Amino acid sequence: KTALNELHKELGAKMVPFCGWEMPVQYPAGVMKEHLHVRKESGLFDVSHMGQLRIHGKDRVKFFESIVVADLQALPTGHSKLSVFTNEKGGIIDDTMITNAGDSLYVVVNAGCADKDISHINEKIKEFKSVNPTHDVSMQLLEDLSLIAIQGPTTESILQKFVKDQDITNMEFMTQRPMTIAGIDCIVTRCGYTGEDGFEISVPSKQAVRLAELFLATSNASIESGIKPAGLGARDSLRLEAGLCLYGHDLNDDITPIEASLNWLISKRRREEGGFPGASIIQKQLQKDGCPQKRVGVIINGAPAREGCLILDPSTNQEIGKVTSGTISPITRQSISMAYVKTPFSKIGTQVNVSIRGKPITATISKMPFVPTNYKKL
Amino acid sequence: HEWVTSLGSQNYRLGITDFAQKQLGDIVFVEIPQIGATLSQGQPITVVESVKAASDIYIPMDGSITTVNQELESSPELVNEEPMGDGWIVEYKSSKTDQFQSLMNKAQYDEYIKEH
């Protein structure tokens, strides 16, 4: 249970088991209204189930570059970056958000992967130290912290009202600052998983309920504006509209970042130097015609596709790929999906069929995001 | 969890109950079935998709589809808003009056959902 468990129940949430946690999938408003409220106003998500870690030690950058594809040497203090842990086959162990916090790296990992990530990191620390006993690195689990995401176009102005110690309008997207919110000391990262501007707030668990209640008090049943609670259901449809991957569905141990169309996570230096697990396989895939399949967006002319629906070549009816996530976009009302297809079919505009309950439905490979992102630009 | 009402002249209108729409959550898509299709009792007519799952709709009597609710193509949320009214799904023709008679009536259904 997260620190907000009782609050979710008081708000009337439908609770479901999720990665070992009891989490709100939706509140009485329902997934559709929650989704639209985040796009128009602001929504609050409890993401405390995600793992928060710190990597300490003077060799932390060198160590972490040996297990993720990110260019951490080039990451300025106070800046954050999306990356992936890879295995020896170049497959993705997890996706993660890494922040250069000055004297440490602050790392957020997926709830469902936290245990495997932590043992993976521990093992790699042991290896790193056995290569050279003077190597200085350690991991700290931030178990007393909760994580609250507030997301949507009006979030900045609402949050600013609670923040007296600084101006947040000049805070860049994908940066982090310590911040005092209504007297509570927090670490705030301007980022999110919805395609909207927003903040993820790392807060001491003892203060989490008070902070969430303050945010939610900016709205109520008779006020359309302000921050309203949003559950896992809305989080899933929002991230899909924004073209963001969900680990365990769109990413897994057998898919490389190149197949996942996440080439942009790997800088020129890291492509050349390698030095992360599976680098040789990933470097081969970066060459022309080196990658057998690609993650793409698909817009289907009809029903929503679900995970596992087959993608067919319309001229031969041969299987050319599989859907990994799908829904009806609450914003565009189209049936949108993420899928993996053989590379020759991955070009935007390619016509394919998607087999839904045994019927081939026409569909088009489409650019992502499906709904334009609305990140903060200075 | 479907309802059927007799429109006279062997015509019937079918939808899902208020209980069912609450269980399914936000309806985002209703597949428009083929008019004229002849089905036997218990066969699937169409599919209603909510934000997370697809549910088959079955015909409770032998019959053939005469009309589908075209409104649902652009406004599937009608099934949530007025499941027993404008959110109806199909109309069909059937001569099997006995099959209609053997369905639960409203009082029986209300009792049934209380127990389950």
Side-chain angles (χ1 to χ4, degrees):
Chain A
K1 288 181 186 175
T2 70
L4 301 185
N5 187 276
E6 284 301 317
L7 177 62
H8 297 313
K9 289 177 181 168
E10 280 166 29
L11 291 167
K14 184 176 161 197
M15 304 298 285
V16 295
F18 183 78
C19 303
W21 299 82
E22 186 181 68
M23 297 303 288
V25 66
Q26 63 173 78
Y27 297 85
V31 175
M32 191 67 70
K33 285 206 174 106
E34 292 167 25
H35 181 114
L36 297 174
H37 191 76
V38 171
R39 288 270 179 259
K40 207 168 144 261
E41 304 279 343
S42 182
L44 180 144
F45 302 82
D46 179 11
V47 288
S48 305
H49 56 312
M50 297 185 79
Q52 300 181 69
L53 326 165
R54 268 185 203 281
I55 306 296
H56 298 280
K58 68 174 171 45
D59 296 311
R60 62 186 179 276
V61 167
K62 185 179 173 194
F63 165 69
F64 227 58
E65 280 203 350
S66 76
I67 60 172
V68 299
V69 301
D71 192 341
L72 299 176
Q73 288 180 15
L75 186 64
T77 301
H79 284 249
S80 308
K81 211 172 183 57
L82 177 70
S83 192
V84 292
F85 298 98
T86 48
N87 59 33
E88 296 303 325
K89 296 182 299 177
I92 298 171
I93 296 172
D94 194 7
D95 56 331
T96 178
M97 190 75 95
I98 305 165
T99 304
N100 178 354
D103 56 356
S104 66
L105 295 174
Y106 167 80
V107 177
V108 177
V109 299
N110 276 307
C113 297
D115 289 344
K116 99 175 164 177
D117 292 344
I118 289 163
S119 42
H120 175 69
I121 295 168
N122 272 327
E123 204 170 297
K124 289 289 179 182
I125 287 179
K126 242 186 257 169
E127 247 175 64
F128 187 69
K129 286 182 170 167
S130 72
V131 172
N132 181 344
T134 69
H135 272 159
D136 174 24
V137 65
S138 63
M139 173 169 58
Q140 178 194 8
L141 307 182
L142 306 174
E143 289 172 321
D144 300 332
L145 296 179
S146 292
L147 199 60
I148 295 173
I150 45 176
Q151 299 276 304
T154 63
T155 306
E156 177 186 77
S157 64
I158 297 169
L159 178 60
Q160 183 69 76
K161 290 188 189 127
F162 294 100
V163 177
K164 307 293 179 202
D165 64 344
Q166 59 191 288
D167 176 11
I168 63 167
T169 61
N170 60 12
M171 184 174 179
E172 263 183 86
F173 202 68
M174 297 300 277
T175 66
Q176 183 176 82
R177 289 179 187 177
M179 212 176 270
T180 306
I181 307 173
I184 305 167
D185 289 330
C186 303
I187 302 288
V188 178
T189 315
R190 193 160 201 163
C191 68
Y193 193 47
T194 60
E196 296 297 326
D197 183 26
F199 303 84
E200 290 190 359
I201 302 168
S202 180
V203 54
S205 290
K206 283 185 182 155
Q207 312 268 28
V209 171
R210 187 162 84 83
L211 185 65
E213 283 177 340
L214 280 172
F215 287 147
L216 295 175
T218 61
S219 188
N220 64 45
S222 57
I223 308 176
E224 260 317 299
S225 63
I227 303 179
K228 292 182 188 286
L232 292 175
R235 190 167 159 81
D236 190 49
S237 49
L238 286 158
R239 68 93 195 167
L240 187 49
E241 279 185 342
L244 302 169
C245 298
L246 177 58
Y247 193 85
H249 301 266
D250 313 308
L251 305 176
N252 66 45
D253 292 292
D254 296 319
I255 293 171
T256 71
I258 311 309
E259 291 167 338
S261 304
L262 296 173
N263 305 35
W264 58 277
L265 297 183
I266 316 176
S267 71
K268 187 163 171 286
R269 175 179 73 83
R270 300 240 57 199
R271 287 177 195 206
E272 285 166 4
E273 291 177 10
F276 46 85
S280 62
I281 291 165
I282 285 171
Q283 284 163 333
K284 248 181 239 153
Q285 288 196 342
L286 280 163
Q287 288 163 12
K288 196 173 157 16
D289 302 325
C291 185
Q293 59 169 356
K294 283 298 221 181
R295 181 177 61 95
V296 293
V298 187
I299 295 178
I300 300 160
N301 302 315
R306 305 295 177 178
E307 186 173 4
C309 285
L310 298 182
I311 312 239
L312 309 171
D313 176 349
S315 56
T316 64
N317 252 351
Q318 292 289 307
E319 179 185 337
I320 52 166
K322 247 186 205 148
V323 169
T324 52
S325 293
T327 192
I328 297 286
S329 159
I331 295 290
T332 71
R333 295 288 188 121
Q334 290 167 309
S335 166
I336 58 170
S337 289
M338 266 188 220
Y340 281 82
V341 295
K342 291 181 178 167
T343 306
F345 294 90
S346 64
K347 215 174 143 232
I348 288 165
T350 306
Q351 297 296 312
V352 296
N353 284 342
V354 179
S355 176
I356 299 177
R357 289 181 293 274
K359 278 187 231 158
I361 314 284
T362 58
T364 309
I365 306 296
S366 306
K367 73 168 175 50
M368 288 188 283
F370 297 106
V371 170
T373 53
N374 187 27
Y375 300 135
K376 174 74 174 183
K377 284 189 203 95
L378 292 186
Chain B
H1 296 286
E2 297 167 10
W3 57 263
V4 181
T5 185
S6 171
L7 303 171
S9 319
Q10 300 189 343
N11 286 306
Y12 298 87
R13 177 177 281 187
L14 175 134
I16 66 169
T17 63
D18 188 49
F19 176 82
Q21 70 81 14
K22 279 189 187 132
Q23 291 290 311
L24 289 171
D26 293 321
I27 308 291
V28 292
F29 184 82
V30 180
E31 197 173 270
I32 301 298
Q34 192 140 21
I35 293 177
T38 301
L39 302 163
S40 18
Q41 186 178 37
Q43 278 193 308
I45 308 171
T46 184
V47 178
V48 170
E49 301 251 11
S50 71
V51 279
K52 217 53 209 177
S55 306
D56 282 310
I57 303 296
Y58 301 97
I59 192 162
M61 303 155 63
D62 299 346
S64 62
I65 310 295
T66 54
T67 313
V68 303
N69 186 353
Q70 297 288 351
E71 287 293 309
L72 300 183
E73 203 165 1
S74 55
S75 304
E77 67 275 11
L78 278 176
V79 179
N80 290 116
E81 289 163 3
E82 298 177 55
M84 320 284 278
D86 287 349
W88 62 275
I89 295 171
V90 297
E91 290 175 6
Y92 61 89
K93 206 171 182 69
S94 174
S95 56
K96 300 292 176 72
T97 317
D98 54 322
Q99 291 178 342
F100 181 68
Q101 295 302 338
S102 65
L103 298 172
M104 275 185 229
N105 64 30
K106 183 157 188 322
Q108 287 167 331
Y109 177 74
D110 290 344
E111 195 57 35
Y112 172 80
I113 54 176
K114 245 186 260 168
E115 286 166 14
H116 288 78

